[in-house]
Amino acid sequence: MLQFLKNILAGHNEFASGGLLLMILGGLSVYLRAVPEAIWYWFVKQTTMAVTVKDDDAAFLWVKEWFLEQKFLKRVRHVDLDTTLRTEKIAMIPAPGKHWFWYHGRPFEVWFTRTENTRERTGRRTESFTFRTLGRNRDFLQSFANDIMVCHFKRQGVQSYLYSYDDCWDYVEGYTPRMLESVVLEPGEKELLMNDVARFRKSKQRYQRLGVPYHRGYLLYGPPGTGKTSLVSALAAHFGLSIYMVNLAEFTDRGLTTAVNRVPANSILLFEDIDCMRTSQSREGKESAVGDGNSAVSTKENGQTGVTLSGLLNVLDGFCAPTGVLFVMTTNHIEKLDPALLRPGRIDYKLYLGKASDYQKAELYRRFFPERSKAESQEFVEASRSAETMAEFQGRLLALEQDEAVLDLAPVREEVLV
């Protein structure tokens, strides 16, 4: 090859020899120009550390919350308006691009990237934060991450939020938790349930010592309108737990496993109206139900996608079951549930919520009208016998309160007209 090059360069064709020489010199210059850049990148990698947080992780919102607590944010001139933070109506965070700040005496570089995903029909964009700083000791990065986590829990306090899943868990804006006092059960039922939840939350070390998975399942069953969902909301608010709501019809086995693995400890995983899902029905009747278009069971014959009974059971107490989570299921028809779903370890506490009793109606009446006498409450209860559930009776109370509010405003209107 060298001899061939010598012959060309020493040849009589000056154009060929000159062109080849220029090509060689050009390639060599490009290579030499890239050497310093490669050396620089190698030097940066050897002297710095980096951590990346993607938007499909819960810590992504934590980082945004942490930004709001930092003084350097006031000096950032390129910002994004953000309404996804729970404690802020509208917030300004660093916009996509590179930003610099100092943290505990070290310079930090943060890259905020945003890309559009054009491969999927939804066109969902992806975002990420990449933090880079000087040093090689990962303990400093761990301290930085801990600071972000502490900031999140300090801002969160003992509040309860509702989350739904769409590629990742997103909190539901406008959700207002129920007050525990507003949910009226039969005497002693609410106290027993609260004591069971409190005892479970204090038993982590005991579960670990016994080698038992640390989670607990609750089943609330009874006719519609008896307050099952309201009770879940009130319990979550009382204990400062967030609710992660699952609709099995929207998942596959793999999707459900992914979603449940992202549920943090000290949370409630809620499966509402689980009797509506074919996954919950007894396996004896499953073959006859396979062809139902509303089925949530995955079958190869009809091409449907959904959660299988096996997939649901694995999430509840298999290898994929999360730790420190309360599983809560609600159903209108407990007889439709598969016995495998009801065994201890999957369902540990059952509570029947039936039609409203006179005691429940009277207690709810006194919550609406605390100044009224007991006789008045009993009179209204007798007049509302047709309201069989707490939801129906509450509707009567709301109507009564509204009518009385209109009557109270009538004299004021007459004075204005006079």
Side-chain angles (χ1 to χ4, degrees):
M1 177 60 94
L2 291 175
Q3 187 62 36
F4 176 73
L5 292 175
K6 289 180 181 179
N7 292 335
I8 293 179
L9 293 175
H12 299 288
N13 192 336
E14 296 180 358
F15 289 102
S17 59
L20 181 60
L21 181 61
L22 287 175
M23 185 178 67
I24 295 173
L25 292 177
L28 186 60
S29 64
V30 170
Y31 173 76
L32 293 176
R33 191 163 58 237
V35 169
E37 186 178 358
I39 293 175
W40 170 252
Y41 282 125
W42 176 85
F43 177 76
V44 169
K45 287 183 178 180
Q46 295 300 315
T47 57
T48 62
M49 303 176 292
V51 58
T52 300
V53 185
K54 297 182 179 180
D55 61 353
D56 59 354
D57 192 279
F60 187 77
L61 284 179
W62 300 5
V63 172
K64 291 183 178 181
E65 294 173 348
W66 181 82
F67 276 134
L68 298 180
E69 300 289 334
Q70 308 308 310
K71 295 181 180 179
F72 72 82
L73 186 61
K74 297 180 181 179
R75 301 192 299 271
V76 176
R77 292 180 295 171
H78 301 283
V79 295
D80 265 4
L81 294 182
D82 195 297
T83 59
T84 62
L85 302 179
R86 289 184 292 259
T87 55
E88 302 286 336
K89 291 184 179 180
I90 188 168
M92 289 190 293
I93 65 169
K98 183 191 294 186
H99 305 274
W100 293 87
F101 63 91
W102 287 84
Y103 173 80
H104 287 192
R106 290 198 191 187
F108 262 79
E109 173 192 78
V110 55
W111 271 99
F112 180 17
T113 59
R114 178 183 292 157
T115 59
E116 296 290 340
N117 190 349
T118 57
R119 295 184 179 181
E120 297 181 3
R121 288 180 295 177
T122 57
R124 178 180 176 272
R125 70 182 186 186
T126 59
E127 299 177 335
S128 66
F129 289 110
T130 299
F131 295 89
R132 184 179 294 276
T133 187
L134 295 173
R136 297 169 60 91
N137 187 354
R138 281 185 52 187
D139 291 342
F140 186 79
L141 278 185
Q142 185 63 54
S143 175
F144 174 68
N146 291 340
D147 192 14
I148 293 175
M149 182 177 63
V150 169
C151 175
H152 164 71
F153 287 114
K154 182 179 67 175
R155 291 171 63 89
Q156 185 181 41
V158 288
Q159 302 179 45
S160 177
Y161 299 100
L162 177 65
Y163 291 86
S164 62
Y165 193 83
D166 183 14
D167 291 332
C168 61
W169 288 108
D170 294 320
Y171 83 99
V172 178
E173 294 188 41
Y175 167 71
T176 303
R178 287 288 298 262
M179 296 176 59
L180 192 61
E181 295 78 14
S182 68
V183 179
V184 181
L185 304 182
E186 293 290 353
E189 287 184 341
K190 186 163 58 176
E191 290 73 17
L192 285 174
L193 179 59
M194 289 173 57
N195 291 338
D196 188 87
V197 174
R199 186 165 53 250
F200 165 76
R201 299 190 69 216
K202 296 178 181 177
S203 304
K204 183 177 181 179
Q205 293 182 351
R206 176 171 170 267
Y207 274 73
Q208 291 177 340
R209 186 174 67 254
L210 296 174
V212 178
Y214 182 54
H215 51 72
R216 191 161 179 81
Y218 294 83
L219 177 66
L220 308 179
Y221 65 102
T226 53
K228 297 182 287 293
T229 302
S230 297
L231 179 57
V232 177
S233 177
L235 276 175
H238 178 77
F239 289 102
L241 307 175
S242 290
I243 301 173
Y244 290 77
M245 186 170 54
V246 172
N247 183 353
L248 292 178
E250 299 177 353
F251 287 91
T252 61
D253 284 355
R254 180 177 296 180
L256 180 63
T257 300
T258 301
V260 170
N261 284 339
R262 294 175 180 174
V263 174
N266 298 318
S267 302
I268 291 177
L269 190 58
L270 174 61
F271 300 89
E272 269 200 302
D273 295 324
I274 198 167
D275 57 281
C276 296
M277 303 301 169
R278 295 292 181 178
T279 55
S280 65
Q281 294 192 0
S282 60
R283 281 171 281 193
E284 290 79 359
K286 186 185 295 186
E287 293 181 1
S288 62
V290 164
D292 190 346
N294 296 324
S295 173
V297 177
S298 175
T299 60
K300 294 183 180 179
E301 290 79 0
N302 56 18
Q304 288 177 306
T305 59
V307 177
T308 64
L309 178 63
S310 175
L312 176 61
L313 298 181
N314 286 334
V315 163
L316 294 177
D317 70 346
F319 292 116
C320 301
T323 298
V325 170
L326 276 67
F327 296 106
V328 180
M329 304 179 203
T330 67
T331 178
N332 299 332
H333 304 283
I334 190 174
E335 69 278 1
K336 292 185 178 181
L337 303 185
D338 193 294
L341 193 62
L342 300 176
R343 75 165 179 79
R346 293 165 182 159
I347 297 297
D348 306 292
Y349 192 105
K350 301 175 187 177
L351 178 61
Y352 174 72
L353 301 179
K355 295 180 179 180
S357 65
D358 290 351
Y359 167 81
Q360 290 176 282
K361 291 180 179 180
E363 287 295 313
L364 190 59
Y365 181 91
R366 282 193 283 271
R367 274 196 56 82
F368 273 75
F369 308 103
E371 72 284 355
R372 303 287 176 84
S373 65
K374 185 176 181 180
E376 288 177 299
S377 68
Q378 292 296 333
E379 181 181 350
F380 187 81
V381 169
E382 288 295 331
S384 305
R385 286 294 178 188
S386 60
E388 295 184 341
T389 66
M390 291 297 286
E392 294 173 339
F393 187 73
Q394 181 175 276
R396 300 283 182 89
L397 292 174
L398 289 172
L400 176 63
E401 186 181 47
Q402 185 177 4
D403 291 342
E404 293 190 354
V406 172
L407 292 175
D408 291 339
L409 288 174
V412 177
R413 291 175 181 174
E414 291 177 1
E415 291 179 6
V416 172
L417 291 175
V418 172

